[in-house]
Amino acid sequence: NIMERKQEAKNPFFRVVELDDATEDPALWGKNFPLQYDAYLRTVDQQRTRYGGSEALPRSPSEADPRSQVAPSRLEEDPRLKTMWAGYAFAVDFRKKRGHAYMLEDQTYTERVEKFKQPGTCIHCHASVYVPYTKAGKGELIKGFEHYNVLPYQEARKDFRHPIACIDCHDPVTMALRVTRPGFLEGIRALKAGQGVPDYDVNAQATRQEMRSFVCGQCHVEYYFKGEEKRLTYPWAKGLKVDQIADYYDEAGFKDWTHARTGAPALKAQHPEFEMWNQGVHSRSGVACADCHMPYTRVGALKISDHHVRSPLLNVNNACQTCHKWPEAELLARAEAIQGRTVALRNRAMDALMELVADLEAARKAGASAAVLDQARGFQRRGQFYVDFVESENSNGFHAPQEAARILGDAIDYFRKGQVALRPLPPAGTPR
Amino acid sequence: NIMERKQEAKNPFFRVVELDDATEDPALWGKNFPLQYDAYLRTVDQQRTRYGGSEALPRSPSEADPRSQVAPSRLEEDPRLKTMWAGYAFAVDFRKKRGHAYMLEDQTYTERVEKFKQPGTCIHCHASVYVPYTKAGKGELIKGFEHYNVLPYQEARKDFRHPIACIDCHDPVTMALRVTRPGFLEGIRALKAGQGVPDYDVNAQATRQEMRSFVCGQCHVEYYFKGEEKRLTYPWAKGLKVDQIADYYDEAGFKDWTHARTGAPALKAQHPEFEMWNQGVHSRSGVACADCHMPYTRVGALKISDHHVRSPLLNVNNACQTCHKWPEAELLARAEAIQGRTVALRNRAMDALMELVADLEAARKAGASAAVLDQARGFQRRGQFYVDFVESENSNGFHAPQEAARILGDAIDYFRKGQVALRPLPPAGTPR
Amino acid sequence: MSSHGLGIGHAAGLLAVLLLGAALGLGGYTFAYAKGWSYLTNDAAACANCHVMRDQHDGWTKSSHRAVAVCNDCHTPHDPVGKYYTKASNGFWHSYYFTTGTFPEPIRATRRSRAIAEANCRRCHEPVVAAMGTPAHAGSREISCVRCHGSVGHLELGATNVAGEEGHD
Ligand SMILES: [Ca+2]
Ligand SMILES: [Ca+2]
């Protein structure tokens, strides 16, 4: 009978070592699952795509930063970003992201950490935290999370050894997917509560297909540090759309920093891949992150999930063509057409922002009233968050093409309205 | 019962009457093809969808306008349109479109015709023109076209009896699809020439699948009347994108009218369904207008094209589900999500336009310099054409979701830049 | 509406279907006429006897499986009784719908027949897919093959041939 035969065949792997909830080192897991482990190690690869992927820039290692390779600086590629983030750590060092293998070192050595005081909270998404968290929390994950959030980053950093590892996504005994990140556990619960589903427990209630995206949503999301405890929080109580998140911050009276040149109470958006994907037709169709970024791949007699997590455009055959029977070149062209439109509109929005910042600076010098300035700052705050929501989203619009364009359209309107607020029509007779 | 079905299967239709190139009356064609004819007659139906479809408004017939039903006025639904078109016929009467059966009467009785002088050119897309054109041109279609273009509308009107009929899309002998509209014959030739394909002859060179869209592109396109001969022209020489068309008009130094309140040399965009569809993923995938608006439908053992041309959202199972295995409610929700985003952004753009018009009017009164005014008018001209390109496109963004949003984003930027151009920053010390 | 998903035991089911057909006074007739018995063979063309099956037949002839699997390899369960029960069931109901012409179009696989197809995917591809995914997660279904391989049995032109979750019973 089919069912039974499945059971027998279920696990074609040999259990060489016994894994438990304290086994952090991926090399040990790799003894049982060498194919996944080998692929996982390949996240060191660095290869560009037209708009994404990752790229290696050689550098001479120093005391402070021993890295011999880094990703290119976005600030040098587009200096307008320095103006957008004026007065905030991101204006000092912001680079392209690269493979999972680098997450821990890239965080450790970024000038955002070296030149600014950062909380232990940061580690949540840049290391294998499950074991240290539970240890520090005496068996309680959340307690450990809270313990590290309040420490200075460098002090917390000492207890973490690996970038993301198997145990961050898998149950060591069943190998089932498992969410281990307090930020997501609490964030998704707040989201579901807002939708009328109380006490949502993702590990108990999510379907397997949902888990194929939720494990990524543990980190590829917008976040902020809440209150004195610097508690990592995903601002989802009102929903996942950019407007709902901006409203959430307004009501919480939250700001990330005060813009150095305009005095606006500014917000920073970070990598909302999960939120944007949720607005797109792929997620509506039940297509998970893993479907495209970890597609099944044939290895010998077996089909396994490609643990070399990377841009699907480097792997169109497996990532797209099982579902889309179009030639590889055509699929690439479709993705790039979407990205090209997004980037063009994003540049238009950045130009509008530059003009608003210049106007605000000038109006400030010219002694405009607080009321007028604050109105314009309000437009800057919101518009900047919208642009950043697309700018920092790493698919250049692919995850939700129309939504990305609509967000940028709204942003342009906010920036220009800010300028208009600062520029009254001249009274009749003024020579122009 | 099965007996009959097998019968039908053998013999799709009986040739009762001989059709030739002079057979205009669809009723005659209907004798050979009763199924298609019956469906064709049903284009009188009027049924709404969330954002589209058509709707019947009862009215008391008058001398001037004997219609007992009309489509709702868009001008009343959104008075901002009157401002956009101030000084142009569209600001007087502009209604929702409805079924093919009404095309001739709706044109005859619109106030755009009754209160304004219109050329015979108009008839090109509102009647069955093939027979009258060839007759007037002594066998030469183009000559007949030119003959009627220069007549006053009312005079030309007399020679046309039917709304679009079979002969406008079909060869009477082979029943193959055939393009009969000079505007498209010349427009597509200009487009292909621009792409390096000389002397393109659509009826000889287009594939069958292309023809399933080209027959619609005969009329569902942006157009203008060129020169003194009022020659109907599709502005495609540089390409089908809104930017390329706007550039075309700029280089031709063409304007449709001078905006009554601002003096801007304005442009009117009309129903660019064909152009927008070209930018979407459906056309990229080879999905033709007829696939959705005239889907194959089973009548007994036969599969025929549904000649009741209408909104596919009234017919989701035939129009969409043959390709998309999603439930009807889900497909509707997807289409409406796209349309909802488009409409929201379109409203944002309209508001920006209203503010620019107000500013321009004020600046004019306040005696701003011609240089400043012309700069702002330039922004109005382009922005208005962009908004109208989406506003007058009848799918509310569905045909190309991201492109529609991108166009609106650009338009918003143009309008606001126009305002900024009219509003210099006040010199230091100005009390505000 | 419930067509193939008759919740009756296998052997009894086959009998019940035939009796029911006779009772309605058309089962026997349409069945014979529409070569009802002939497609109890594994001849794909037999399914295409019905013009309404032609699209799927055409799709199958373009699919990667045309040479390796016939209709019944995917659409009938592969335990002996179930096979003939399902066929008789299909046969009777297809004849019934076909005659009365009262069935929803486009034709869609029922939950039951999609489950049968999925089971058949695994039956043939056990070795390849054995490693796929981890033991089912609390509250989850096994992962669906058709979600990614929707076109292996029927290569359809046009859209991504991805199965929706739904399906009439
Ligand atoms: Ca943030
Ligand atoms: Ca026009």
Side-chain angles (χ1 to χ4, degrees), chain A residues 344-362:
Chain A
L345 200 57
R346 173 248 180 223
N347 284 329
R348 193 179 274 274
M350 289 299 283
D351 288 340
L353 172 58
M354 295 307 106
E355 295 181 26
L356 172 57
V357 169
D359 280 10
L360 254 165
E361 229 175 2

Side-chain angles (χ1 to χ4, degrees), chain B residues 101-337:
Chain B
Y102 301 100
M103 63 171 68
L104 191 47
E105 62 176 89
D106 282 345
Q107 180 176 63
T108 307
Y109 300 113
T110 179
E111 294 177 18
R112 300 213 299 277
V113 163
E114 302 208 316
K115 300 198 172 151
F116 299 82
K117 204 174 145 306
Q118 299 289 4
T121 318
C122 297
I123 209 74
H124 178 281
C125 301
H126 284 263
S128 184
V129 303
Y130 184 74
V131 174
Y133 273 13
T134 34
K135 198 137 140 273
K138 315 237 169 338
E140 287 187 50
L141 185 71
I142 301 295
K143 282 233 168 3
F145 165 63
E146 290 161 344
H147 165 78
Y148 284 110
N149 290 347
V150 294
L151 296 182
Y153 177 80
Q154 282 75 1
E155 201 177 318
R157 174 69 182 80
K158 302 198 200 79
D159 300 352
F160 299 83
R161 273 165 296 320
H162 301 280
I164 183 173
C166 320
I167 197 162
D168 293 291
C169 299
H170 288 287
D171 174 311
V173 181
T174 64
M175 285 310 287
L177 290 177
R178 179 176 69 173
V179 168
T180 57
R181 290 301 186 277
F184 190 86
L185 292 168
E186 295 178 353
I188 193 88
R189 195 181 304 130
L191 175 65
K192 295 282 186 178
Q195 298 165 344
V197 183
D199 319 313
Y200 183 77
D201 174 349
V202 60
N203 285 319
Q205 291 168 260
T207 65
R208 173 181 165 191
Q209 186 60 12
E210 286 176 320
M211 288 302 277
R212 288 167 55 84
S213 292
F214 288 173
V215 289
C216 314
Q218 295 188 100
C219 303
H220 288 267
V221 297
E222 153 63 0
Y223 69 91
Y224 77 113
F225 298 153
K226 190 175 184 181
E228 277 323 300
E229 317 72 37
K230 300 282 176 207
R231 190 184 197 84
L232 178 64
T233 308
Y234 301 170
W236 297 345
K238 293 169 157 294
L240 296 174
K241 292 208 183 111
V242 66
D243 327 73
Q244 296 163 320
I245 294 176
D247 291 347
Y248 171 98
Y249 284 131
D250 288 351
E251 288 181 24
F254 177 83
K255 70 172 177 201
D256 281 298
W257 86 101
T258 300
H259 196 274
R261 290 170 56 184
T262 68
L267 293 169
K268 177 76 185 77
Q270 288 99 338
H271 35 73
E273 280 89 46
F274 181 74
E275 294 88 337
M276 283 293 270
W277 164 79
N278 255 285
Q279 305 310 318
V281 74
H282 279 108
S283 87
R284 257 203 112 110
S285 305
V287 184
C289 316
D291 288 326
C292 299
H293 290 279
M294 300 181 67
Y296 287 115
T297 170
R298 196 170 57 83
V299 180
L302 295 176
K303 281 233 170 169
I304 63 161
S305 302
D306 185 347
H307 281 62
H308 178 190
V309 175
R310 63 184 148 154
S311 163
L313 299 187
L314 296 171
N315 186 21
V316 170
N317 62 344
N318 286 342
C320 319
Q321 289 180 311
T322 36
C323 295
H324 297 286
K325 293 170 185 278
W326 310 109
E328 170 158 1
E330 168 62 11
L331 281 162
L332 268 175
R334 289 183 186 194
E336 290 172 359

Side-chain angles (χ1 to χ4, degrees), chain C residues 16 31-32 42 46-47 55 66 75 78 82 84 91 107 110 112 117 132 134 140 142 150 153:
Chain C
F31 222 61
N42 270 337
C47 300
D55 289 355
R66 64 190 171 282
H75 288 292
H78 282 66
Y84 288 95
I107 292 169
T110 59
R112 181 172 188 272
M132 267 184 53
T134 56
S140 88
E142 251 304 345

Side-chain angles (χ1 to χ4, degrees), chain B residues 352-400:
Chain B
L353 172 58
M354 295 307 105
E355 295 180 27
L356 172 56
V357 170
D359 280 10
L360 255 164
E361 231 175 358
R364 241 174 137 183
K365 289 208 188 67
S369 73
V372 172
L373 290 174
D374 285 343
Q375 196 192 355
R377 287 174 179 138
F379 283 124
Q380 183 193 347
R381 168 185 162 98
R382 191 163 266 252
Q384 230 175 251
F385 185 68
Y386 278 49
V387 174
D388 213 359
F389 208 81
V390 176
E391 155 64 30
S392 70
E393 205 280 335
N394 286 281
S395 74
N396 284 296
F398 179 85
H399 293 145

Side-chain angles (χ1 to χ4, degrees), chain C residues 124-142:
Chain C
C124 292
H125 293 292
E126 197 64 59
V128 174
V129 304
M132 267 184 53
T134 56
H137 187 278
S140 88
R141 297 186 267 62
E142 251 304 345

